[in-house]
Amino acid sequence: MTTDVLTAEQRRLVIREALSVGIATGAYGISFGALAVAAGLDVWQACALSLLMFTGGSQFAFIGIISAGLHAAPAAIAASSLLGVRNGLYALELTQLLRVRGIRRLAAAHITIDESTAVAVSQSHNKAARLGFWLTGLSVFALWNLTTLVGALVGNAIGDPRTWGLDAAACAAFTALLWPRLKNRDSVAIAVVAAVVAVVLAPATPPGVPVIVAALAAFIAWREPRATTGAEDDPEDSRPGPVPAQPERGSEVPS
């Protein structure tokens, strides 16, 4: 049976999860700012990329190719666009969950990223998922842009950002969010297939292609779980609620 409101404990857990992801991803923004300046962009160009593009993988692909020379601009745009396609796939999952319109729909589209999607889909309650999506997306957006500015200002003064492990912070946080969802043999097998596909394709294909092909492979391998019996109490909130407490042995009321 689902409830109409979140308990204080549920809300606290979602907030803690969202903010922890925001902080981890924010640290990653320092790496982007420093690498963007090293690739030849100025501070304001680096900040504009984070503000307007706001998708880490695409941003890194863009500056990675731009650093090879201005003639590589079309390739940089193509690579970053390919990586950005995954956010459109996320939107398919989140559209029915968020149920937003107007200006809020535009805002939701802009913060539909790996981290906000992962926090949202990891929740067992729709209201927790919505709270997790918005709080994660907005905290990542604020911290990512702030730390991009910091990284661009200090530039090479911090040395190679990879020596600080900042290049792996967001990936580690995302993996930690997905790990608890691998609850059965099928989900583990699908994750392994997608990972193998991405690793095999990465050396031989442009940035973005391995991600898209791995997602398609996972989609093909996925199968609809068996439907459970029983009617939903709230059509707006279709995620499974908490299991009702069972009476202690010996306390049953005789019929």
Side-chain angles (χ1 to χ4, degrees):
M1 182 176 183
T2 57
T3 57
D4 291 332
V5 296
L6 296 178
T7 66
E9 179 64 20
Q10 287 175 318
R11 184 176 295 274
R12 184 163 52 249
L13 289 174
V14 175
I15 292 174
R16 183 172 63 186
E17 184 177 3
L19 293 182
S20 65
V21 173
I23 292 171
T25 308
Y28 196 27
I30 296 177
S31 177
F32 171 75
L35 291 174
V37 171
L41 302 182
D42 61 31
V43 172
W44 301 114
Q45 288 172 327
C47 290
L49 276 177
S50 283
L51 184 65
L52 301 175
M53 184 179 287
F54 188 53
T55 169
S58 297
Q59 292 177 230
F60 278 97
F62 185 88
I63 64 170
I65 297 177
I66 283 294
S67 63
L70 293 178
H71 63 279
I77 294 172
S80 59
S81 298
L82 279 174
L83 280 168
V85 168
R86 74 190 190 281
N87 292 348
L89 299 177
Y90 298 156
L92 297 177
E93 169 73 15
L94 296 173
T95 296
Q96 294 301 315
L97 171 65
L98 298 177
R99 300 176 182 271
V100 291
R101 289 178 173 79
I103 192 66
R104 292 187 66 200
R105 191 180 185 92
L106 293 176
H110 196 54
I111 62 172
T112 297
I113 54 175
D114 295 334
E115 292 78 14
S116 60
T117 302
V119 171
V121 301
S122 67
Q123 308 304 319
S124 59
H125 191 293
N126 275 357
K127 290 181 174 61
R130 294 180 191 118
L131 174 62
F133 172 84
W134 286 107
L135 187 55
T136 302
L138 292 174
S139 63
V140 170
F141 183 79
L143 290 170
W144 178 266
N145 281 278
L146 176 62
T147 54
T148 293
L149 174 61
V150 173
L153 288 173
V154 299
N156 293 327
I158 63 173
D160 187 349
R162 290 173 296 183
T163 63
W164 298 86
L166 298 178
D167 56 327
C171 294
F174 189 59
T175 301
L177 286 171
L178 291 181
W179 187 264
R181 295 185 63 81
L182 305 181
K183 297 178 180 179
N184 55 55
R185 194 173 303 172
D186 287 347
S187 60
V188 171
I190 291 171
V192 170
V193 168
V196 170
V197 170
V199 170
V200 169
L201 292 180
T205 58
V209 172
V211 175
I212 296 172
V213 177
L216 291 175
F219 180 77
I220 293 171
W222 178 80
R223 59 183 180 180
E224 183 74 27
R226 184 175 300 174
T228 57
T229 59
E232 295 289 345
D233 294 289
D234 183 2
E236 290 284 330
D237 202 348
S238 58
R239 291 172 181 252
V243 178
Q246 299 296 322
E248 296 180 4
R249 185 176 298 276
S251 63
E252 296 87 349
V253 178
S255 56

